[in-house]
Short mmCIF file of all heavy atoms in Angstrom, two decimals:
data_model
loop_
_atom_site.label_atom_id
_atom_site.label_comp_id
_atom_site.label_asym_id
_atom_site.label_seq_id
_atom_site.Cartn_x
_atom_site.Cartn_y
_atom_site.Cartn_z
N TYR L 33 10.53 31.56 -15.48
CA TYR L 33 9.10 31.48 -15.28
C TYR L 33 8.71 31.84 -13.91
O TYR L 33 9.40 31.55 -12.84
CB TYR L 33 8.60 30.07 -15.51
CG TYR L 33 8.99 29.42 -16.86
CD1 TYR L 33 10.18 28.97 -17.15
CD2 TYR L 33 8.08 29.42 -17.93
CE1 TYR L 33 10.60 28.47 -18.41
CE2 TYR L 33 8.30 28.91 -19.12
CZ TYR L 33 9.61 28.43 -19.35
OH TYR L 33 10.04 27.87 -20.59
N TYR L 35 5.40 31.13 -11.34
CA TYR L 35 4.14 30.40 -11.12
C TYR L 35 3.71 30.85 -9.83
O TYR L 35 4.53 31.37 -8.86
CB TYR L 35 4.35 28.89 -11.13
CG TYR L 35 4.44 28.34 -12.55
CD1 TYR L 35 5.68 28.44 -13.21
CD2 TYR L 35 3.39 27.69 -13.19
CE1 TYR L 35 5.77 27.85 -14.55
CE2 TYR L 35 3.54 27.08 -14.34
CZ TYR L 35 4.75 27.10 -15.08
OH TYR L 35 4.84 26.61 -16.28
N GLN L 37 1.27 29.09 -6.54
CA GLN L 37 0.56 27.95 -6.09
C GLN L 37 -0.21 28.19 -4.77
O GLN L 37 0.27 28.42 -3.75
CB GLN L 37 1.59 26.81 -5.73
CG GLN L 37 0.96 25.46 -5.48
CD GLN L 37 2.02 24.34 -5.39
OE1 GLN L 37 3.17 24.52 -5.25
NE2 GLN L 37 1.55 23.09 -5.58
N GLY L 40 -3.47 23.48 -1.99
CA GLY L 40 -4.36 22.42 -2.60
C GLY L 40 -4.40 22.52 -4.03
O GLY L 40 -5.19 21.72 -4.69
N GLN L 41 -3.63 23.33 -4.71
CA GLN L 41 -3.83 23.51 -6.21
C GLN L 41 -2.38 23.33 -6.79
O GLN L 41 -1.43 23.22 -6.06
CB GLN L 41 -4.14 25.00 -6.45
CG GLN L 41 -5.51 25.43 -5.95
CD GLN L 41 -6.67 24.68 -6.45
OE1 GLN L 41 -6.89 24.50 -7.69
NE2 GLN L 41 -7.53 24.28 -5.54
N GLY L 42 -2.45 23.08 -8.12
CA GLY L 42 -1.16 22.95 -8.82
C GLY L 42 -0.57 24.38 -9.12
O GLY L 42 -1.33 25.33 -9.01
N PRO L 43 0.58 24.43 -9.51
CA PRO L 43 1.28 25.73 -9.93
C PRO L 43 0.51 26.36 -11.06
O PRO L 43 0.13 25.63 -12.10
CB PRO L 43 2.66 25.35 -10.23
CG PRO L 43 2.99 24.11 -9.59
CD PRO L 43 1.69 23.37 -9.62
N GLU L 44 0.15 27.63 -10.96
CA GLU L 44 -0.58 28.44 -11.96
C GLU L 44 0.46 29.32 -12.66
O GLU L 44 1.14 30.10 -12.00
CB GLU L 44 -1.67 29.14 -11.26
CG GLU L 44 -2.47 30.19 -12.24
CD GLU L 44 -3.26 31.08 -11.38
OE1 GLU L 44 -3.24 31.09 -10.16
OE2 GLU L 44 -4.03 31.92 -12.07
N PHE L 45 0.58 29.22 -13.95
CA PHE L 45 1.46 29.93 -14.81
C PHE L 45 1.20 31.41 -14.65
O PHE L 45 0.04 31.72 -14.81
CB PHE L 45 1.44 29.56 -16.24
CG PHE L 45 2.26 30.40 -17.18
CD1 PHE L 45 3.49 30.51 -17.12
CD2 PHE L 45 1.55 31.11 -18.10
CE1 PHE L 45 4.20 31.42 -17.96
CE2 PHE L 45 2.20 32.03 -18.98
CZ PHE L 45 3.45 32.11 -19.02
N TYR L 48 6.46 34.30 -18.53
CA TYR L 48 7.67 33.61 -18.95
C TYR L 48 8.56 34.71 -19.62
O TYR L 48 8.07 35.49 -20.43
CB TYR L 48 7.22 32.51 -19.92
CG TYR L 48 8.16 32.18 -21.06
CD1 TYR L 48 9.48 31.67 -20.66
CD2 TYR L 48 7.86 32.28 -22.34
CE1 TYR L 48 10.35 31.23 -21.68
CE2 TYR L 48 8.81 31.82 -23.38
CZ TYR L 48 9.92 31.33 -23.00
OH TYR L 48 10.97 31.00 -23.93
N ALA L 55 8.16 37.03 -22.83
CA ALA L 55 7.66 36.37 -24.03
C ALA L 55 6.17 35.95 -23.93
O ALA L 55 5.55 35.78 -24.89
CB ALA L 55 8.52 35.06 -24.43
N ASP L 56 5.66 35.75 -22.73
CA ASP L 56 4.32 35.34 -22.48
C ASP L 56 3.95 35.81 -21.03
O ASP L 56 4.39 35.20 -20.11
CB ASP L 56 4.16 33.85 -22.63
CG ASP L 56 2.62 33.36 -22.50
OD1 ASP L 56 1.81 34.19 -22.09
OD2 ASP L 56 2.33 32.24 -22.83
N SER L 58 0.54 36.13 -20.34
CA SER L 58 -0.90 35.83 -20.35
C SER L 58 -1.43 35.30 -18.94
O SER L 58 -2.62 35.43 -18.78
CB SER L 58 -1.21 34.93 -21.38
OG SER L 58 -0.59 33.66 -21.23
N LEU L 91 6.33 30.63 -7.10
CA LEU L 91 7.43 29.88 -7.51
C LEU L 91 8.13 30.41 -8.72
O LEU L 91 7.47 30.93 -9.62
CB LEU L 91 6.96 28.41 -7.88
CG LEU L 91 6.17 27.68 -6.72
CD1 LEU L 91 5.47 26.45 -7.36
CD2 LEU L 91 7.18 27.19 -5.69
N ASP L 99 13.39 26.95 -27.04
CA ASP L 99 12.28 26.88 -27.92
C ASP L 99 11.21 26.12 -27.43
O ASP L 99 10.15 25.84 -28.08
CB ASP L 99 12.81 26.22 -29.30
CG ASP L 99 13.35 24.76 -29.00
OD1 ASP L 99 13.57 24.38 -27.83
OD2 ASP L 99 13.78 24.10 -29.91
N SER L 100 11.16 25.71 -26.19
CA SER L 100 10.01 24.92 -25.58
C SER L 100 10.31 24.98 -24.14
O SER L 100 11.43 25.20 -23.65
CB SER L 100 10.00 23.56 -26.11
OG SER L 100 11.03 22.74 -25.59
N PRO L 101 9.27 24.70 -23.30
CA PRO L 101 9.56 24.81 -21.77
C PRO L 101 10.71 24.01 -21.33
O PRO L 101 11.47 24.34 -20.41
CB PRO L 101 8.17 24.37 -21.27
CG PRO L 101 7.21 24.72 -22.20
CD PRO L 101 7.83 24.46 -23.61
N GLY L 102 10.85 22.71 -21.87
CA GLY L 102 11.86 21.93 -21.52
C GLY L 102 11.77 21.60 -19.99
O GLY L 102 10.72 21.62 -19.37
N GLU L 103 12.86 21.11 -19.47
CA GLU L 103 12.84 20.81 -18.00
C GLU L 103 13.00 22.11 -17.16
O GLU L 103 13.97 22.84 -17.30
CB GLU L 103 14.07 19.89 -17.61
CG GLU L 103 14.17 19.55 -16.17
CD GLU L 103 15.35 18.66 -15.86
OE1 GLU L 103 15.99 18.27 -16.75
OE2 GLU L 103 15.51 18.41 -14.62
N LEU L 104 11.96 22.35 -16.42
CA LEU L 104 12.00 23.45 -15.49
C LEU L 104 12.69 23.13 -14.11
O LEU L 104 12.32 22.03 -13.61
CB LEU L 104 10.57 24.03 -15.22
CG LEU L 104 9.81 24.39 -16.47
CD1 LEU L 104 8.47 25.12 -15.95
CD2 LEU L 104 10.58 25.35 -17.35
N PHE L 105 13.55 23.92 -13.68
CA PHE L 105 14.17 23.87 -12.35
C PHE L 105 13.52 24.77 -11.44
O PHE L 105 13.60 26.09 -11.70
CB PHE L 105 15.67 23.99 -12.35
CG PHE L 105 16.36 22.86 -13.22
CD1 PHE L 105 16.46 23.06 -14.61
CD2 PHE L 105 16.88 21.91 -12.55
CE1 PHE L 105 17.08 22.04 -15.41
CE2 PHE L 105 17.61 20.90 -13.33
CZ PHE L 105 17.71 20.94 -14.71
N PHE L 106 12.92 24.39 -10.38
CA PHE L 106 12.09 25.25 -9.57
C PHE L 106 12.86 25.69 -8.22
O PHE L 106 13.61 24.83 -7.70
CB PHE L 106 10.82 24.53 -9.07
CG PHE L 106 9.63 24.64 -10.15
CD1 PHE L 106 9.60 23.64 -11.05
CD2 PHE L 106 8.71 25.54 -10.14
CE1 PHE L 106 8.65 23.65 -12.04
CE2 PHE L 106 7.63 25.64 -11.07
CZ PHE L 106 7.65 24.64 -12.10
N GLY L 107 12.53 26.92 -7.81
CA GLY L 107 13.11 27.29 -6.44
C GLY L 107 12.10 26.77 -5.43
O GLY L 107 11.08 26.16 -5.77
N GLU L 108 12.34 27.09 -4.26
CA GLU L 108 11.50 26.56 -3.09
C GLU L 108 10.34 27.62 -2.85
O GLU L 108 9.62 27.17 -2.03
CB GLU L 108 12.35 26.35 -1.83
CG GLU L 108 13.32 25.33 -2.04
CD GLU L 108 13.89 24.68 -0.75
OE1 GLU L 108 13.50 25.19 0.28
OE2 GLU L 108 14.76 23.81 -0.74
N LEU W 8 -7.40 13.30 -7.34
CA LEU W 8 -6.77 13.95 -6.25
C LEU W 8 -5.87 13.05 -5.32
O LEU W 8 -4.94 13.52 -4.77
CB LEU W 8 -7.75 14.78 -5.43
CG LEU W 8 -8.47 15.83 -6.20
CD1 LEU W 8 -9.41 16.68 -5.43
CD2 LEU W 8 -7.35 16.86 -6.94
N TYR W 31 6.29 17.68 -25.63
CA TYR W 31 6.74 16.90 -24.45
C TYR W 31 5.75 17.05 -23.39
O TYR W 31 5.02 18.13 -23.22
CB TYR W 31 8.09 17.48 -23.85
CG TYR W 31 9.24 17.21 -24.71
CD1 TYR W 31 9.73 18.23 -25.63
CD2 TYR W 31 9.98 16.07 -24.73
CE1 TYR W 31 10.80 17.95 -26.46
CE2 TYR W 31 11.10 15.72 -25.50
CZ TYR W 31 11.46 16.73 -26.35
OH TYR W 31 12.59 16.56 -27.10
N TYR W 33 5.30 16.18 -19.18
CA TYR W 33 6.15 15.96 -17.98
C TYR W 33 5.40 15.52 -16.90
O TYR W 33 4.14 15.70 -16.60
CB TYR W 33 6.85 17.35 -17.59
CG TYR W 33 7.74 17.89 -18.65
CD1 TYR W 33 7.07 18.55 -19.68
CD2 TYR W 33 9.08 17.69 -18.77
CE1 TYR W 33 7.93 19.16 -20.77
CE2 TYR W 33 9.84 18.21 -19.69
CZ TYR W 33 9.34 18.87 -20.78
OH TYR W 33 10.09 19.46 -21.70
N TYR W 35 6.00 15.89 -12.67
CA TYR W 35 6.78 16.54 -11.58
C TYR W 35 6.31 15.92 -10.28
O TYR W 35 5.22 15.48 -10.04
CB TYR W 35 6.61 18.10 -11.59
CG TYR W 35 7.52 18.74 -12.51
CD1 TYR W 35 7.28 18.75 -13.91
CD2 TYR W 35 8.67 19.37 -12.13
CE1 TYR W 35 7.93 19.44 -14.82
CE2 TYR W 35 9.48 19.95 -13.07
CZ TYR W 35 9.08 20.09 -14.37
OH TYR W 35 10.00 20.67 -15.27
N GLN W 37 6.30 16.67 -5.97
CA GLN W 37 6.46 17.61 -4.89
C GLN W 37 6.38 17.08 -3.57
O GLN W 37 5.34 16.42 -3.24
CB GLN W 37 5.46 18.81 -4.97
CG GLN W 37 5.63 19.90 -4.04
CD GLN W 37 4.69 21.13 -4.43
OE1 GLN W 37 3.52 20.92 -4.66
NE2 GLN W 37 5.24 22.31 -4.33
N GLY W 40 7.48 20.47 1.99
CA GLY W 40 8.51 21.39 2.21
C GLY W 40 9.64 21.43 1.22
O GLY W 40 10.64 22.01 1.50
N ALA W 41 9.43 20.84 0.13
CA ALA W 41 10.38 20.86 -0.94
C ALA W 41 9.87 21.37 -2.24
O ALA W 41 8.68 21.47 -2.38
CB ALA W 41 11.01 19.49 -1.12
N GLY W 42 10.90 21.79 -3.13
CA GLY W 42 10.42 22.39 -4.34
C GLY W 42 9.91 21.24 -5.32
O GLY W 42 10.08 20.16 -5.03
N LEU W 43 9.35 21.63 -6.46
CA LEU W 43 8.99 20.76 -7.50
C LEU W 43 10.22 20.21 -8.20
O LEU W 43 11.10 20.89 -8.43
CB LEU W 43 8.12 21.44 -8.55
CG LEU W 43 6.64 21.69 -8.15
CD1 LEU W 43 6.09 22.85 -8.80
CD2 LEU W 43 5.79 20.50 -8.51
N GLN W 44 10.15 18.90 -8.41
CA GLN W 44 11.36 18.29 -9.10
C GLN W 44 10.79 17.53 -10.24
O GLN W 44 9.82 16.79 -10.19
CB GLN W 44 12.00 17.30 -8.26
CG GLN W 44 12.77 18.16 -7.13
CD GLN W 44 13.75 17.16 -6.45
OE1 GLN W 44 13.37 16.10 -5.94
NE2 GLN W 44 14.96 17.44 -6.34
N LEU W 45 11.51 17.60 -11.45
CA LEU W 45 11.15 16.76 -12.62
C LEU W 45 11.40 15.31 -12.28
O LEU W 45 12.35 14.92 -11.78
CB LEU W 45 12.01 17.16 -13.82
CG LEU W 45 11.76 16.33 -15.10
CD1 LEU W 45 10.38 16.55 -15.57
CD2 LEU W 45 12.81 16.61 -16.08
N PHE W 88 2.39 15.75 -10.18
CA PHE W 88 1.74 16.74 -11.13
C PHE W 88 2.05 16.26 -12.62
O PHE W 88 3.23 16.00 -13.00
CB PHE W 88 2.29 18.06 -10.93
CG PHE W 88 1.92 18.76 -9.68
CD1 PHE W 88 2.77 18.77 -8.59
CD2 PHE W 88 0.64 19.29 -9.53
CE1 PHE W 88 2.46 19.25 -7.34
CE2 PHE W 88 0.29 19.95 -8.34
CZ PHE W 88 1.19 19.97 -7.24
N ALA W 92 2.75 21.00 -22.08
CA ALA W 92 3.01 22.40 -22.45
C ALA W 92 1.76 23.01 -22.92
O ALA W 92 0.81 22.40 -23.29
CB ALA W 92 4.06 22.44 -23.57
N ASN W 93 1.61 24.41 -22.76
CA ASN W 93 0.52 25.05 -23.33
C ASN W 93 0.52 25.12 -24.81
O ASN W 93 1.47 24.77 -25.51
CB ASN W 93 0.29 26.44 -22.74
CG ASN W 93 1.43 27.39 -23.01
OD1 ASN W 93 2.40 27.01 -23.69
ND2 ASN W 93 1.41 28.56 -22.51
N ALA W 95 0.82 27.49 -26.91
CA ALA W 95 1.87 28.41 -27.47
C ALA W 95 3.33 27.79 -27.33
O ALA W 95 4.19 28.29 -27.92
CB ALA W 95 1.83 29.73 -26.75
N GLY W 96 3.38 26.73 -26.49
CA GLY W 96 4.61 26.10 -26.24
C GLY W 96 5.58 27.01 -25.38
O GLY W 96 6.76 26.70 -25.38
N THR W 97 4.88 27.84 -24.62
CA THR W 97 5.72 28.79 -23.79
C THR W 97 5.76 28.49 -22.32
O THR W 97 6.71 29.02 -21.60
CB THR W 97 5.13 30.24 -23.88
OG1 THR W 97 3.81 30.22 -23.58
CG2 THR W 97 5.38 30.79 -25.32
N ALA W 98 4.90 27.64 -21.91
CA ALA W 98 4.90 27.25 -20.42
C ALA W 98 4.38 25.89 -20.17
O ALA W 98 3.61 25.25 -21.05
CB ALA W 98 4.17 28.28 -19.67
N LEU W 99 4.61 25.31 -19.04
CA LEU W 99 3.97 24.04 -18.61
C LEU W 99 2.66 24.43 -17.89
O LEU W 99 2.79 25.41 -17.04
CB LEU W 99 4.88 23.24 -17.69
CG LEU W 99 6.16 22.77 -18.44
CD1 LEU W 99 6.96 21.88 -17.45
CD2 LEU W 99 5.96 22.05 -19.78
N ILE W 100 1.61 23.65 -18.09
CA ILE W 100 0.41 23.84 -17.38
C ILE W 100 0.27 22.62 -16.49
O ILE W 100 0.20 21.53 -16.88
CB ILE W 100 -0.80 23.89 -18.41
CG1 ILE W 100 -0.46 25.08 -19.46
CG2 ILE W 100 -2.14 24.08 -17.63
CD1 ILE W 100 -0.35 26.42 -18.82
N PHE W 101 0.13 22.94 -15.21
CA PHE W 101 0.08 21.93 -14.13
C PHE W 101 -1.41 21.56 -13.81
O PHE W 101 -2.25 22.45 -13.62
CB PHE W 101 0.77 22.26 -12.97
CG PHE W 101 2.26 22.34 -13.13
CD1 PHE W 101 2.82 23.38 -13.71
CD2 PHE W 101 3.09 21.31 -12.64
CE1 PHE W 101 4.31 23.52 -13.89
CE2 PHE W 101 4.40 21.34 -12.88
CZ PHE W 101 4.95 22.49 -13.48
N GLY W 102 -1.67 20.28 -13.52
CA GLY W 102 -2.90 19.77 -12.94
C GLY W 102 -2.90 20.15 -11.46
O GLY W 102 -1.83 20.68 -10.95
N LYS W 103 -3.98 19.82 -10.82
CA LYS W 103 -4.03 20.03 -9.29
C LYS W 103 -3.15 19.12 -8.47
O LYS W 103 -2.91 19.23 -7.39
CB LYS W 103 -5.48 19.82 -8.85
CG LYS W 103 -6.41 20.97 -9.34
CD LYS W 103 -7.71 20.87 -8.59
CE LYS W 103 -8.55 22.09 -8.95
NZ LYS W 103 -9.98 22.01 -8.29
N GLY W 104 -2.74 18.01 -9.17
CA GLY W 104 -1.87 17.04 -8.50
C GLY W 104 -2.51 15.94 -7.91
O GLY W 104 -3.74 16.00 -7.48
#
Side-chain angles (χ1 to χ4, degrees):
Chain L
Y33 302 81
Y35 284 80
Q37 187 174 22
Q41 304 293 315
E44 174 194 3
F45 168 70
Y48 154 59
D56 184 349
S58 62
L91 298 169
D99 58 354
S100 67
E103 177 181 357
L104 301 189
F105 294 83
F106 281 85
E108 294 197 2
Chain W
L8 294 182
Y31 290 93
Y33 298 83
Y35 277 79
Q37 188 173 42
L43 282 153
Q44 288 190 310
L45 178 68
F88 293 95
N93 62 1
T97 53
L99 298 186
I100 304 302
F101 289 82
K103 287 188 178 180

